[in-house]
Amino acid sequence: MVKERWTCPYCDRDNVLDDENTKICQGETNLSDDLGTVRGIYKFTICPNPNCRKTTIKGQIHRLDRTEESDPEKLYEWQLVPESNAKQFPEYIPQKLREDYYEACLLREKSPKASATLSRRCLRGTIHDYWRITKTTLADEMAELQTVVDKTTWDAIDSVRSLGNIGVHMHLDVNAIVEVDADEPDLLIYLIEKFFTEWYMKDEDDY
Ligand SMILES: [Zn+2]
């Protein structure tokens, strides 16, 4: 196979994959009249990092069109193991916050609205726990962060909250489930990861 750059979802390290650490199992069928001839693929990857060596598994279904020379059309793709792209965070970050984060990642594809709601709750919980800032809404708490966080973190927060409806939703009750913009769940997850690494984990490094 062609060598491929890849970031491990467990250890977050950038790696180069080759035949040694990636195996593909596949089979074809034309059982379904709707789909025509399809190929099912399982892609197994073992992290090359000797301290990690964890397994990642992806599933894909491709439609094969033998009349054309074009590449097979990818019909479905599933991230099977691990179940989501959630990063592993250390146990000194409160469990309740980590759980909301993991579930927000898990629901990212299947229920973007529920994912965004969990993320907003997690962001509030993080601000309460870490900064002891408690206001009426997440939007007010976010605004208050400008006075305490460094400029780089504030710029990241500000760039997310000023986009589309994301900032508007931060004014709502934190348990409200509302329609979300397409990129909202990802951006909220990005903010949570930023808060965890910039605050809790930096403290631990300085310790
Ligand atoms: Zn790894």
Side-chain angles (χ1 to χ4, degrees):
M1 73 176 268
V2 184
K3 291 200 175 182
E4 180 191 340
R5 293 183 68 81
W6 173 81
T7 306
C8 174
Y10 297 100
C11 67
D12 206 28
R13 206 167 95 166
D14 293 328
N15 296 283
V16 176
L17 299 181
D18 56 26
D19 289 340
E20 288 300 303
N21 36 51
T22 302
K23 297 286 176 214
I24 285 175
C25 302
Q26 56 183 331
E28 289 177 20
T29 176
N30 57 3
L31 189 65
S32 160
D33 290 339
D34 295 342
L35 299 178
T37 305
V38 293
R39 178 186 292 149
I41 298 173
Y42 284 117
K43 186 176 177 185
F44 291 76
T45 303
I46 306 294
C47 179
N49 172 7
N51 297 321
C52 177
R53 304 291 296 164
K54 288 204 168 70
T55 307
T56 300
I57 307 173
K58 259 190 186 173
Q60 289 178 351
I61 303 288
H62 294 247
R63 192 205 311 264
L64 305 180
D65 185 348
R66 296 188 189 283
T67 61
E68 290 178 30
E69 290 186 357
S70 55
D71 288 337
E73 178 193 359
K74 185 162 69 185
L75 296 175
Y76 304 103
E77 183 171 48
W78 303 274
Q79 174 71 38
L80 299 170
V81 179
E83 284 183 289
S84 77
N85 289 328
K87 296 185 165 70
Q88 300 291 315
F89 282 103
E91 289 184 2
Y92 54 72
I93 296 174
Q95 186 180 0
K96 195 176 167 308
L97 301 177
R98 282 183 288 125
E99 280 175 3
D100 279 352
Y101 162 75
Y102 292 135
E103 286 183 28
C105 293
L106 205 55
L107 291 169
R108 167 68 195 87
E109 302 299 330
K110 292 229 157 75
S111 176
K113 284 185 281 190
S115 170
T117 299
L118 278 160
S119 284
R120 279 186 230 108
R121 187 170 86 172
C122 182
L123 288 168
R124 275 202 94 168
T126 306
I127 297 168
H128 293 178
D129 178 71
Y130 190 86
W131 291 105
R132 305 287 170 209
I133 291 173
T134 308
K135 303 266 177 192
T136 316
T137 65
L138 174 58
D140 295 336
E141 288 160 356
M142 286 278 192
E144 185 78 8
L145 285 176
Q146 188 174 11
T147 62
V148 289
V149 301
D150 63 74
K151 188 172 180 315
T152 320
T153 310
W154 173 251
D155 288 346
I157 295 168
D158 203 34
S159 64
V160 172
R161 71 179 194 138
S162 55
L163 279 174
N165 287 317
I166 297 179
V168 177
H169 294 158
M170 289 179 180
H171 286 278
L172 301 172
D173 181 304
V174 78
N175 294 314
I177 296 177
V178 289
E179 294 297 331
V180 291
D181 295 344
D183 53 357
E184 187 163 348
D186 281 340
L187 288 167
L188 295 173
I189 286 169
Y190 156 80
L191 265 194
I192 297 171
E193 291 171 349
K194 185 109 191 142
F195 287 5
F196 284 179
T197 43
E198 291 294 319
W199 302 342
Y200 294 97
M201 293 174 73
K202 273 229 172 105
D203 286 355
E204 196 71 12
D205 288 346
D206 293 344
Y207 190 63

